[in-house]
């Protein structure tokens, strides 16, 4: 049974069609990649899964039960964690404080309750290490980490707080080749930990490296749905970029032959 399943889901904003009859499945221990250019509907899809928006038609199931999430908090309570591209971290706060932001453990009771700082430091270091991230100092401001390292901290945080489904919004969009590789390694680590991962991306090369299932969106509709078995990277790239449209464009951009009298 899929952890999350969308069947023919549509979303309209007035007369604007943001999504129309989109379907996808997210299984434990698999990565479902959602690919598409800007305006393809990826952001709307994220918002529905994350509980920010509700779908208008179609069905949305979590563990086989039909659902209509009212808020991101409800999505978290149902085991769906979303890591957005901007990460929503506090750059000047230490790594451990960002790791527990909004869920800080305390010790003591009543007026004597205080943050359990040592526990948060220790847990942050051990959880990052478990994901393969060896930070020497979790007291350093998270803003001093690279973009890839901040993405990895967000992934480790979601795993620690019990996410069953991890939605990643363009985690490699603003990163170089090396940092993108680091992030993809930890995305694969989350999959190997048994999570169902939804990877939103416009990069078919990154998707093909880690993906098990591929959903292609174009202008709010499905342009394709495939498993990796039997699907070559070239074909995935061609379908995402609109192969026939590119061929037509290449013909239009071909140089016209120079007339002989001008040669």
């Amino acid at each position: 049974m899929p952890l999350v399943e969308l069947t023919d889901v549509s979303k309209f904003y007035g007369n604007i069609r943001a999504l129309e009859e989109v379907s996808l499945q997210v299984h434990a221990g698999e990565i479902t990649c959602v690919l598409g250019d800007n305006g393809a509907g990826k952001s709307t899809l994220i918002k529905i899964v994350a509980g920010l928006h509700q779908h208008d038609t179609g069905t949305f199931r979590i563990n086989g039960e039909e659902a209509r999430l009212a808020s991101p908090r409800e999505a978290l309570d149902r085991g769906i964690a979303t890591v957005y591209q901007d990460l929503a971290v506090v750059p000047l706060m230490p790594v451990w404080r960002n790791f527990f932001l909004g869920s800080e453990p305390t010790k003591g009771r009543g007026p004597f309750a205080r943050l359990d700082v040592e526990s948060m430091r220790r847990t942050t270091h051990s959880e990052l290490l478990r994901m393969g991230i060896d930070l020497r100092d979790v007291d350093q401001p998270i803003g001093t980490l690279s973009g890839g390292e901040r993405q990895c901290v967000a992934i480790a945080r979601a795993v620690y707080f019990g996410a069953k489904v991890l939605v990643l919004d363009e985690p490699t969009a603003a990163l170089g080749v090396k940092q993108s590789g680091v992030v993809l390694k930890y995305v694969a680590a989350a999959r190997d930990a048994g999570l169902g991962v939804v990877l939103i991306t416009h990069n078919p090369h990154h998707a093909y490296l880690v993906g098990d299932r591929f959903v292609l969106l174009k202008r709010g509709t499905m342009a394709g749905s495939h498993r990796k078995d039997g699907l070559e990277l070239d074909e995935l790239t061609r379908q995402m970029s609109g192969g026939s449209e590119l061929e037509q464009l290449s013909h239009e951009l071909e140089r016209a032959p120079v007339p002989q009298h001008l040669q």
Side-chain angles (χ1 to χ4, degrees), residues 107-138:
K107 58 183 178 180
R109 293 185 179 181
F112 301 104
R114 60 193 185 280
L115 294 179
D116 193 348
V117 175
E118 285 307 313
S119 173
M120 285 189 279
R121 284 195 181 110
R122 187 171 57 252
T123 300
T124 300
H125 185 268
S126 64
E127 288 301 313
L128 293 178
L129 196 59
R130 191 163 70 90
M131 290 287 290
I133 310 167
D134 188 9
L135 280 186
R136 287 171 293 180
D137 183 13
V138 295

Side-chain angles (χ1 to χ4, degrees), residues 152-169:
C152 298
V153 170
I155 293 169
R157 182 185 192 277
V159 172
Y160 173 72
F161 282 102
K164 300 289 191 301
V165 175
L166 180 61
V167 183
L168 300 168
D169 174 24

Side-chain angles (χ1 to χ4, degrees), residues 46-244:
I46 289 175
K47 290 171 182 175
I48 291 173
V49 176
L52 279 166
H53 292 171
Q54 295 185 346
H55 56 288
D56 293 320
T57 61
T59 56
F60 176 19
R61 292 185 177 88
I62 302 174
N63 293 320
E65 296 181 3
E66 195 162 336
R68 186 174 286 273
L69 300 174
S71 68
R73 172 53 62 183
E74 185 179 347
L76 278 171
D77 292 342
R78 301 286 295 268
I80 300 173
T82 303
V83 178
Y84 293 98
Q85 192 173 336
D86 58 13
L87 292 178
V89 297
V90 184
L92 296 179
M93 280 188 176
V95 173
W96 64 264
R97 191 66 191 268
N98 275 277
F99 192 92
F100 281 94
L101 196 62
S103 303
E104 295 87 348
T106 59
K107 58 183 178 180
R109 293 185 179 181
F112 301 104
R114 60 193 185 280
L115 294 179
D116 193 348
V117 175
E118 285 307 313
S119 173
M120 285 189 279
R121 284 195 181 110
R122 187 171 57 252
T123 300
T124 300
H125 185 268
S126 64
E127 288 301 313
L128 293 178
L129 196 59
R130 191 163 70 90
M131 290 287 290
I133 310 167
D134 188 9
L135 280 186
R136 287 171 293 180
D137 183 13
V138 295
D139 281 303
Q140 68 188 97
I142 199 168
T144 62
L145 302 183
S146 69
E149 288 171 328
R150 290 197 296 273
Q151 286 281 354
C152 298
V153 170
I155 293 169
R157 182 185 192 277
V159 172
Y160 173 72
F161 282 102
K164 300 289 191 301
V165 175
L166 180 61
V167 183
L168 300 168
D169 174 24
E170 299 272 10
T172 62
L175 303 179
V177 175
K178 185 176 181 181
Q179 287 294 318
S180 295
V182 170
V183 171
L184 292 175
K185 184 172 75 170
Y186 296 122
V187 172
R191 173 201 63 199
D192 295 341
L195 277 71
V197 180
V198 181
L199 176 64
I200 311 293
T201 183
H202 62 267
N203 190 318
H205 294 271
H206 292 169
Y208 197 80
L209 280 172
V210 296
D212 299 290
R213 300 168 183 265
F214 306 96
V215 173
L216 290 89
L217 298 182
K218 183 177 181 181
R219 296 174 187 171
T221 62
M222 289 187 67
S225 180
H226 308 279
R227 288 193 59 85
K228 190 170 187 176
D229 304 336
L231 180 69
E232 298 294 333
L233 174 58
D234 289 346
E235 177 62 17
L236 178 65
T237 305
R238 191 191 72 80
Q239 288 196 29
M240 183 193 161
S241 59
S244 58

